[in-house]
Amino acid sequence: AAAGTGDEKGMKNTMRLIGRYLTNNDKFAKTDALYRKVSLLNMLLIGIMVTCSAFVVIDIVLFQMYDAALVNAAGVVIALIALIYFRKTGRYKPVAYIAIATLILSLLVFFAITQNRHYNLIWMSMVPLFAYFLLKRNEARIVMLLFGGYMLYFVLSNMSHWTPAAFNAQAVFNILGAMSAQLFMVSYYEKTREEVWSELNGVILLLDESRNDLRLILDSSAEAIYGIDKEGNCTFCNKSCLEMLAYGHEEDLLGQNMHLRIHHTRKDGTAYPAQDCSIYRAFTRGERAHAEDEVFWRADGTSFAVEYFSYPKIKNGEIVGAVITFMDITQRKQREAEIRYLNCYDMLTGLQNRRCFEESRVKSDTPENLPLSLVVTDINWLKMTNDVFGHAVGDELIQKAGQILKKAGRPGDTIARVGGDEFVMLLPRTSREETEQILSQIKTQFANTRVAAIKCSVSVGSATKQSPGQSFDEIMLDAENAMYRDKTVNRKSENKQMLGAIVEALHTKHPNEKRHSTNTAEHCAAMGAAIQLSNAKMERLKQAAYLHDIGKLVLDESIMLKDGYSREEAAKIQQHPLYGYRILSLFDETLDIAEYVYSHHEKWDGSGHPKGLQGEQIPLMSRIIAIAEAYDRALHSEIRPVEDRAQAAVQFIKDGAGTRFDPQIAEIFVQTLERKADQ
């Protein structure tokens, strides 16, 4: 076994050495187009050297044909020189011509020397084989045409002198040599054909595998890809392309003109001629194309925003088509549009923001737009709305303001929200008189609009640019100053109207609260008189008593109508003094009574809310209001018969003295009630 393995190894080494020799020390690899021709050329030159050397000896020793021996010797020398030259330079073409020329010239000389006596015509069958293997097809045809023409001439010119050839040793040598050479050529051809076919099959398999891998890569790509030929017809498309274009099978697109299928119409609906298509124009010029502001059309007739890249396909220096990759960028376009919108527009109102307004004012500040009027609007009571009713109601108030200004505006006007509660209107070609009419319309609309319990109110100011020389910044300042003047002049009346609107809203929302507020104020006035309060303090006490439950406006109506409360609902109700304090603190007329309202649910023993004050820490006015409003609640409680309510209410105050109520004020209040009953 070991010996057999060694023999096989030796055979492999021998074959490898022979292969290296025949390929000029591996200078020509199997993948080289000249690989088999080089091997055959080396074998031919070696064969000429060996055969001719043998026949030099045979011609001299056996046949005493010295002229034939000289021809063979010349063949050996020429083959040796060609072989050495070929192995040093690797230049195939001149050596191939030398080898074929040596064969032909040797035959011609032999024919001239021996005529047909030794069957030299048989060697003619070898020349075409080597010629067609070693030379190019057309060159081999020319060589064989010339050689055949000469042989025809030779035969015709000499056949009259020929005699039958003897079948002797020379004839046998020639026949065997010719047969061996033809057998070698047939074997070499078969081996070459098998190797070529084997390599071709390998290349086909490799090509199929590469094609499958390429297809897998293409179908795994998130980008859509398709190819077109020079006519714009589809040559391939990947899975993402079919999905984005809503086609079911690749056959639906193969061979179809892709421009007519998916790129025939612009996003505005106008036709998109092929000659204007950037993909078509770019690949016909061998250029790349890129676009992200166009649309492709799906199989169902819908379109989508697309970004595409087109690259020309170039083969042998010639443009044969293009490869296009694209992505559906609909969502990206939407996000970009949202970003652009946010950069220029207020999300709450849909109006321009300050940044966008600054750009608009520059564009509008031209002589053609004169007179150019500016209106500045400021929402009153927005802070109170946010603090008391919450930011959701405040946002609604802002939205209402934006709607009113939009309605007052005209085509070509610019309306912007430039601050939390501040709006501006830019009115091109609008006189002062026309602006005043717009201001009047705005105020009327606001006066007739309510949000929650808030009667909408605005302060407005305007200014008009009459000539190009006026500074727009000065016009802006004049409009703002006019707005602030309007706010200052109307502040007192606005405060009174707003406070009245809030009280009215409370009484409308909770009808019993009006009666309760009025009664509480009357009881407080009686106690104030009993303890001899000054007129000023008496007025503040009555006002605080009347407004002590104004914070209940914020509470949900469903809670107010209940007889019993959950812990969470009770916690919400206990917040109404805080809401009342916030509301009253916003008005100059009620600022000094806000603290009394805030503390009217504090208890003498410190168990009240919201601060847990006790004793004389509680303001006197708050202690009085606490007794008066508790008495009125008890007096109108529906849990007792009407005839028992008065006595029960008085008893409630007596029982709470020293714990819930100030004992001295409680005693004075009871005495006041008793004196009133005796009258």
Side-chain angles (χ1 to χ4, degrees):
T5 303
D7 292 342
E8 291 178 2
K9 186 175 182 181
M11 181 63 69
K12 289 181 179 179
N13 290 335
T14 301
M15 295 303 296
R16 186 172 62 82
L17 290 174
I18 293 173
R20 286 191 61 191
Y21 185 85
L22 293 178
T23 57
N24 289 14
N25 292 326
D26 294 329
K27 289 181 180 178
F28 296 89
K30 275 194 173 185
T31 55
D32 197 309
L34 293 176
Y35 170 73
R36 290 174 182 79
K37 291 187 176 184
V38 167
S39 299
L40 182 60
L41 180 57
N42 276 311
M43 285 189 287
L44 176 61
L45 293 174
I46 294 171
I48 291 175
M49 289 171 56
V50 173
T51 304
C52 289
S53 296
F55 274 97
V56 168
V57 176
I58 292 171
D59 288 339
I60 294 174
V61 176
L62 296 181
F63 307 121
Q64 290 83 39
M65 294 180 62
Y66 301 107
D67 50 357
L70 184 62
V71 173
N72 283 319
V76 171
V77 173
I78 295 172
L80 178 62
I81 294 173
L83 184 64
I84 294 173
Y85 174 79
F86 185 38
R87 298 192 67 79
K88 284 186 176 182
T89 64
R91 296 182 63 186
Y92 169 82
K93 191 171 183 179
V95 178
Y97 278 106
I98 291 173
I100 297 300
T102 302
L103 276 179
I104 293 175
L105 291 174
S106 297
L107 283 172
L108 294 179
V109 172
F110 274 118
F111 290 146
I113 294 173
T114 65
Q115 296 295 310
N116 68 331
R117 287 176 298 163
H118 305 300
Y119 298 87
N120 285 321
L121 289 176
I122 296 176
W123 288 95
M124 291 174 57
S125 62
M126 297 305 302
V127 176
L129 298 176
F130 281 104
Y132 275 92
F133 261 100
L134 298 179
L135 304 181
K136 292 182 178 179
R137 183 176 301 175
N138 290 333
E139 293 173 346
R141 288 172 178 171
I142 294 173
V143 169
M144 293 314 302
L145 183 63
L146 295 174
F147 180 67
Y150 172 77
M151 290 306 303
L152 180 62
Y153 164 75
F154 180 81
V155 170
L156 294 177
S157 62
N158 291 284
M159 63 183 302
S160 59
H161 307 293
W162 287 354
T163 59
F167 191 77
N168 53 20
Q170 288 178 315
V172 171
F173 276 121
N174 279 289
I175 293 172
L176 291 177
M179 292 175 61
S180 299
Q182 288 196 357
L183 181 62
F184 165 77
M185 291 301 297
V186 170
S187 300
Y188 186 80
Y189 170 78
E190 284 296 317
K191 184 176 184 302
T192 299
R193 186 182 62 80
E194 290 173 0
E195 288 182 356
V196 170
W197 184 250
S198 176
E199 289 187 14
L200 182 59
N201 283 335
V203 170
I204 292 173
L205 291 175
L206 183 61
L207 183 61
D208 288 341
E209 185 177 351
S210 299
R211 185 182 291 110
N212 292 335
D213 289 342
L214 178 60
R215 188 75 209 190
L216 181 61
I217 293 172
L218 289 174
D219 287 340
S220 300
S221 173
E223 284 190 333
I225 306 173
Y226 70 88
I228 56 176
D229 57 22
K230 293 178 67 174
E231 285 70 40
N233 298 326
C234 180
T235 56
F236 73 89
C237 57
N238 70 345
K239 184 177 179 181
S240 294
C241 177
L242 294 174
E243 291 176 351
M244 290 187 197
L245 297 176
Y247 285 94
H249 305 284
E250 188 175 9
E251 290 74 17
D252 296 335
L253 289 177
L254 291 180
Q256 300 294 320
N257 186 285
M258 292 301 284
H259 181 82
L260 298 179
R261 279 276 181 166
I262 69 172
H263 207 195
H264 47 78
T265 306
R266 296 184 176 91
K267 59 185 176 181
D268 60 2
T270 60
Y272 197 178
Q275 59 268 25
D276 296 337
C277 174
S278 56
I279 295 176
Y280 177 80
R281 285 189 288 105
F283 94 78
T284 53
R285 300 172 185 173
E287 301 172 352
R288 296 181 179 182
H290 171 238
E292 53 183 349
D293 57 350
E294 298 181 12
V295 296
F296 279 176
W297 295 84
R298 300 185 183 94
D300 58 7
T302 60
S303 65
F304 61 93
V306 66
E307 178 181 16
Y308 65 77
F309 294 86
S310 175
Y311 303 90
K313 288 195 301 184
I314 300 176
K315 184 177 181 181
N316 298 327
E318 181 182 357
I319 299 171
V320 296
V323 176
I324 297 90
T325 64
F326 66 91
M327 287 290 292
D328 184 346
I329 58 171
T330 302
Q331 292 184 353
R332 192 181 88 188
K333 288 289 186 181
Q334 290 174 347
R335 290 194 297 269
E336 290 174 353
E338 290 173 0
I339 292 172
R340 287 194 299 270
Y341 184 86
L342 290 174
N343 283 338
C344 197
Y345 291 91
D346 173 51
M347 284 295 292
L348 192 59
T349 63
L351 301 176
Q352 291 186 7
N353 56 23
R354 178 177 288 276
R355 175 180 173 274
C356 199
F357 171 73
E358 292 298 330
E359 296 176 359
S360 297
R361 63 170 264 190
V362 173
K363 295 178 182 178
S364 299
D365 189 11
T366 61
E368 295 79 16
N369 287 328
L370 295 179
L372 179 63
S373 292
L374 183 72
V375 175
V376 178
T377 304
D378 187 85
I379 303 175
N380 297 327
W381 312 116
L382 179 60
K383 184 178 185 305
M384 183 194 72
T385 304
N386 287 328
D387 292 345
V388 176
F389 297 96
H391 287 276
V393 177
D395 289 346
E396 185 181 355
L397 177 58
I398 293 171
Q399 289 173 330
K400 288 284 187 182
Q403 292 169 5
I404 291 172
L405 294 177
K406 283 181 183 178
K407 188 174 181 180
R410 308 155 306 175
D413 293 344
T414 300
I415 307 172
R417 182 188 176 198
V418 296
D421 55 1
E422 188 175 353
F423 297 80
V424 293
M425 298 179 68
L426 197 58
L427 312 176
R429 296 179 293 279
T430 306
S431 65
R432 290 179 181 175
E433 293 74 15
E434 293 172 319
T435 304
E436 289 297 327
Q437 293 177 1
I438 294 174
L439 292 183
S440 177
Q441 179 184 349
I442 292 172
K443 284 199 167 187
T444 301
Q445 286 292 326
F446 270 96
N448 295 330
T449 303
R450 285 181 178 269
V451 175
I454 302 299
K455 182 179 180 182
C456 296
S457 171
V458 291
S459 298
V460 294
S462 66
T464 302
K465 180 176 179 178
Q466 302 283 0
S467 63
Q470 290 179 278
S471 168
F472 189 89
D473 291 334
E474 292 180 2
I475 299 300
M476 186 82 173
L477 183 60
D478 290 344
E480 289 177 345
N481 290 336
M483 183 270 293
Y484 287 123
R485 283 197 302 271
D486 182 51
K487 184 182 288 289
T488 302
V489 169
N490 297 314
R491 180 180 180 83
K492 190 170 183 179
S493 61
E494 289 284 353
N495 287 358
K496 186 175 180 180
Q497 290 179 13
M498 181 58 67
L499 185 59
I502 293 173
V503 173
E504 181 184 353
L506 172 64
H507 293 164
T508 302
K509 188 175 182 181
H510 309 297
N512 289 334
E513 289 300 319
K514 183 174 183 179
R515 182 262 309 154
H516 175 65
S517 298
T518 302
N519 292 344
T520 300
E522 291 176 356
H523 295 316
C524 286
M527 281 189 284
I531 62 175
Q532 298 181 348
L533 291 177
S534 65
N535 291 336
K537 289 183 178 180
M538 182 69 79
E539 290 300 321
R540 289 202 300 274
L541 175 60
K542 289 192 293 184
Q543 187 181 24
Y546 188 76
L547 300 174
H548 74 281
D549 277 342
I550 195 171
K552 288 184 177 179
L553 177 63
V554 181
L555 300 178
D556 189 0
E557 189 173 358
S558 62
I559 297 177
M560 296 294 295
L561 295 175
K562 283 187 174 183
D563 293 330
Y565 310 111
S566 65
R567 181 177 299 179
E568 292 77 11
E569 291 171 340
K572 290 181 180 179
I573 291 176
Q574 289 178 0
Q575 292 293 314
H576 80 272
L578 173 61
Y579 295 131
Y581 174 81
R582 289 179 178 174
I583 294 173
L584 298 176
S585 296
L586 295 171
F587 299 96
D588 296 338
E589 296 82 356
T590 59
L591 181 60
D592 58 345
I593 66 171
E595 182 66 28
Y596 307 150
V597 171
Y598 185 58
S599 302
H600 78 275
H601 273 293
E602 300 287 357
K603 296 180 180 178
W604 185 259
D605 62 1
S607 62
H609 62 84
K611 289 185 176 181
L613 303 178
Q614 62 180 351
E616 294 185 358
Q617 291 178 333
I618 306 169
L620 175 61
M621 304 290 190
S622 301
R623 283 178 268 160
I624 296 173
I625 295 171
I627 294 172
E629 76 99 17
Y631 173 77
D632 187 69
R633 294 289 184 194
L635 185 63
H636 293 87
S637 174
E638 296 181 357
I639 64 175
R640 291 184 176 86
V642 176
E643 60 272 13
D644 296 336
R645 292 177 185 175
Q647 184 179 354
V650 173
Q651 189 61 44
F652 178 72
I653 300 301
K654 289 180 179 180
D655 293 342
T659 56
R660 184 183 181 107
F661 309 118
D662 182 336
Q664 293 181 355
I665 302 297
E667 183 179 355
I668 294 172
F669 181 67
V670 172
Q671 291 173 358
T672 303
L673 291 175
E674 290 175 348
R675 285 196 299 269
K676 186 176 181 181
D678 292 340
Q679 293 177 357

